[in-house]
């Protein structure tokens, strides 16, 4: 099953913060986050592995709560370049889920000047 | 430069026709994937392969077929059985390690398939 992302869309002004959530109905081994600009390929942001951790670089960070099977992506002091569609991808914990990355439906983020 | 090459960028299919989308990578990656992207539905997994001559069905494999005869190549055939093939198709690859079951995915630039 696809993980569920929320919200479906976010509109921000430059400098504002946003949180995008990703929730799964199954036990997870890892969560990936990617950003896609219109007409382009998705670009990797970060991976969070089982064990519950938080990662970040620059003003984008993420957390992974394996007990709740949820991950959140935090964008602080947003810039125009942050605009795009954000996808979480989840890999289940279990033999048949090995190497299989399933993506959510995406969250469209628009940053205005 | 290393990367993933998808071709063609645009493809048109006639009724009842099979078409093949090409995906080649020179990253020496073990795993390769095919995703279909429709507006509002995110990326849905069609097929994936972790080793040459082996592949697994994803969530929407019906109407598609793949082969993995070489490590660097993973072509996708959209058969006439796929009744709604119009979509953006993305190929991806990744390293598989024993420590983490998934490294990050590297995506190709995609193929837009349309039905005539």
């Amino acid at each position: 099953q696809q993980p569920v992302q929320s919200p479906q869309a976010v509109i921000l002004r430059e400098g504002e913060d946003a949180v995008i959530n990703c929730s799964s109905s199954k036990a997870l081994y890892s969560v990936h986050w990617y950003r896609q600009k219109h007409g382009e390929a998705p670009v990797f942001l970060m991976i969070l592995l089982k064990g519950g951790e938080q990662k970040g670089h620059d003003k984008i960070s993420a957390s992974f709560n394996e007990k709740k099977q949820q991950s959140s992506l935090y964008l602080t002091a947003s810039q125009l370049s942050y605009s795009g569609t954000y996808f979480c991808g989840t890999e289940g914990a279990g033999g048949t889920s090995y190497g299989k990355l399933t993506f959510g439906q995406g969250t469209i983020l628009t940053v205005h000047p | 430069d290393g990367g993933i090459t998808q071709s063609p960028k645009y493809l048109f299919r006639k009724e009842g026709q099979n078409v093949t989308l090409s995906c080649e990578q020179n990253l020496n990656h073990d795993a390769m994937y095919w995703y279909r992207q429709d507006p509002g539905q995110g990326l849905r997994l069609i097929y994936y392969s972790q080793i040459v001559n082996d592949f697994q069905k994803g969530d929407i494999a019906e109407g598609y077929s793949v082969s993995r005869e070489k490590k660097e190549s993973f072509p996708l055939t959209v058969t006439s059985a796929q009744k709604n093939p119009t979509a953006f198709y993305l190929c991806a690859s990744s390293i598989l390690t024993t420590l983490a079951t998934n490294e990050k995915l590297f995506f190709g630039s995609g193929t837009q398939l349309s039905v005539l």
Side-chain angles (χ1 to χ4, degrees):
Chain A
Q1 290 91 339
Q2 280 184 287
V4 177
Q5 289 183 233
S6 63
Q8 290 187 322
V10 183
I11 299 176
L12 301 173
R13 293 230 176 259
E14 260 187 306
E16 292 182 337
D17 303 339
V19 180
I20 300 172
N21 300 303
C22 176
S23 180
S24 175
S25 60
K26 60 181 183 180
L28 299 177
Y29 180 84
S30 68
V31 179
H32 294 220
W33 286 97
Y34 292 80
R35 176 173 61 212
Q36 184 180 31
K37 302 275 186 178
H38 184 70
E40 298 179 7
V43 172
F44 171 79
L45 293 175
M46 61 190 78
I47 294 177
L48 301 104
L49 299 179
K50 183 179 177 180
E53 59 173 345
Q54 187 147 355
K55 272 191 176 181
H57 60 84
D58 198 11
K59 293 177 179 143
I60 300 176
S61 62
S63 63
F64 177 25
N65 185 327
E66 66 180 279
K67 289 184 180 178
K68 292 185 177 180
Q69 296 149 199
Q70 292 176 346
S71 177
S72 294
L73 185 72
Y74 307 93
L75 301 106
T76 58
S78 59
Q79 305 166 16
L80 294 177
S81 61
Y82 286 6
S83 292
T85 302
Y86 289 77
F87 293 100
C88 70
T90 58
E91 182 185 12
T96 58
S97 299
Y98 176 84
K100 179 183 176 183
L101 199 61
T102 303
F103 285 91
Q105 81 279 17
T107 295
I108 301 171
L109 182 78
T110 306
V111 181
H112 290 297
Chain B
D1 284 339
I4 300 181
T5 303
Q6 286 188 244
S7 62
K9 192 170 177 67
Y10 299 96
L11 187 59
F12 296 91
R13 194 192 88 167
K14 293 180 181 177
E15 205 69 40
Q17 187 182 41
N18 292 354
V19 293
T20 297
L21 285 62
S22 171
C23 179
E24 303 275 333
Q25 53 99 358
N26 60 5
L27 300 167
N28 199 32
H29 284 173
D30 299 299
M32 296 188 74
Y33 308 79
W34 274 105
Y35 289 92
R36 170 179 170 144
Q37 186 169 26
D38 296 277
Q41 296 197 50
L43 304 167
R44 291 185 291 166
L45 183 63
I46 306 172
Y47 271 98
Y48 63 110
S49 168
Q50 296 166 347
I51 194 170
V52 173
N53 292 323
D54 188 42
F55 46 83
Q56 288 76 42
K57 292 182 179 180
D59 300 314
I60 56 164
E62 188 173 346
Y64 300 97
S65 66
V66 293
S67 63
R68 186 88 187 273
E69 296 177 0
K70 298 185 295 182
K71 187 176 184 178
E72 58 271 21
S73 179
F74 191 41
L76 173 74
T77 296
V78 184
T79 73
S80 56
Q82 173 49 246
K83 298 305 179 189
N84 185 22
T86 297
F88 189 57
Y89 291 85
L90 283 162
C91 179
S93 70
S94 71
I95 299 170
L96 287 183
T97 71
T98 56
L99 296 178
T101 59
N102 235 331
E103 293 285 338
K104 65 180 179 179
L105 297 190
F106 290 77
F107 283 89
S109 55
T111 293
Q112 176 64 49
L113 176 63
S114 302
V115 177
L116 287 176

